[in-house]
Amino acid sequence: SAVISQKPSRDICQRGTSLTIQCQVDSQVTMMFWYRQQPGQSLTLIATANQGSEATYESGFVIDKFPISRPNLTFSTLTVSNMSPEDSSIYLCSVRSSNQPQHFGDGTRLSIL
Amino acid sequence: DAKTTQPTSMDCAEGRAANLPCNHSTISGNEYVYWYRQIHSQGPQYIIHGLKNNETNEMASLIITEDRKSSTLILPHATLRDTAVYYCIVDTVGGSNYKLTFGKGTLLTVNP
């Protein structure tokens, strides 16, 4: 399976600031996704990162708050903008290629003070 | 909303088989059953998936009932490192979109 690296692995940020999380895969993949896992909760899909076009966001998530880039088939970024304490979560990147199971990175643990 | 029902928690003795049930009574004919687990501080790890036949790999076995309305994940010899939250998910494979909808899962605690 693909090896997925996320950076940073964790961060502590001040409210009102923004943080960009990177997801790098060691092989080309068809699809990349971003999930959020709030404390004590299950995973929720934020958006599908589309190569060369705007990401597809799930209900409750908007581009202004979570801008996403995907410049090629192995890399994507998620930015958490104008952060508040409610954004404290684990943010996870996942990938899949045709007819293969989805695989996840180990996530970015984000705390906002 | 998640289309599966799992017990909130289960215990298992180390070295014994862990049998994790999942109900998916509304599963469609083209939907697979996937199992993932999440060990503390890690991302979800893919375990196994199946359509209607039983499946086995190096990690686990998946038993799907004939009517496909329920399944059981079997860890044949549980170890302490198998303590994790186990998620049962039903979804399609292929097509232009592929999203996993996670429920609350089952917290499996393997005891020494």
Side-chain angles (χ1 to χ4, degrees), chain A residues 31 33 35 37 41-43 45 48 58 92 96 99-107 109, chain B residues 34 36 38 40-44 46 49 87 93-100 102-104:
Chain A
M31 305 188 76
F33 304 89
Y35 287 79
Q37 187 170 28
Q41 302 298 312
S42 188
L43 282 76
L45 180 65
T48 302
E58 298 299 303
L92 298 120
R96 97 166 256 254
N99 297 325
Q100 295 297 313
Q102 200 167 129
H103 293 282
F104 289 79
D106 278 338
R109 289 180 174 274
Chain B
Y34 290 85
Y36 284 77
Q38 188 173 23
H40 184 61
S41 299
Q42 298 182 20
Y46 165 77
H49 74 283
Y87 298 99
V93 172
S96 62
N97 203 1
Y98 176 64
K99 301 184 291 186
L100 294 179
F102 284 79
K104 297 185 182 300

Side-chain angles (χ1 to χ4, degrees), chain A residues 96, chain B residues 3 28 30-32 34 90-94 97-99:
Chain A
R96 97 166 256 254
Chain B
K3 296 182 283 187
S28 301
N30 64 343
E31 288 184 314
Y32 285 68
Y34 290 85
V90 296
D91 218 319
T92 57
V93 172
N97 203 1
Y98 176 64
K99 301 184 291 186

Side-chain angles (χ1 to χ4, degrees), chain A residues 2 11 19-20 26 31 35 46 48 55 70 76-78 83 92 101 103:
Chain A
D11 207 340
L19 178 73
T20 296
D26 69 342
M31 305 188 76
Y35 287 79
I46 297 172
T48 302
R70 189 179 173 193
S76 178
T77 66
L78 168 74
M83 289 183 285
L92 298 120
H103 293 282

Side-chain angles (χ1 to χ4, degrees), chain A residues 3 7 9 15-16 33 36-38 49-50 58 62 74-75 82 84 87 92 94-95:
Chain A
V3 176
K7 292 182 180 180
S9 60
R15 68 178 68 202
F33 304 89
R36 180 177 72 180
Q37 187 170 28
Q38 295 177 300
N50 301 310
E58 298 299 303
V62 296
T74 64
F75 185 78
N82 189 25
S84 66
D87 294 321
L92 298 120
S94 71
V95 305

Side-chain angles (χ1 to χ4, degrees), chain B residues 30-88:
Chain B
N30 64 343
E31 288 184 314
Y32 285 68
V33 180
Y34 290 85
W35 283 85
Y36 284 77
R37 72 180 182 183
Q38 188 173 23
I39 297 170
H40 184 61
S41 299
Q42 298 182 20
Q45 177 189 23
Y46 165 77
I47 301 173
I48 199 168
H49 74 283
L51 183 62
K52 56 182 179 180
N53 297 321
N54 297 337
E55 302 287 344
T56 295
N57 62 21
E58 65 279 4
M59 290 183 66
S61 295
L62 174 60
I63 308 299
I64 303 173
T65 58
E66 191 169 347
D67 64 8
R68 302 208 324 122
K69 293 184 177 182
S70 65
S71 61
T72 301
L73 179 74
I74 301 172
L75 308 179
H77 304 287
T79 71
L80 299 179
R81 289 174 292 182
D82 291 322
T83 293
V85 177
Y86 287 77
Y87 298 99
C88 169

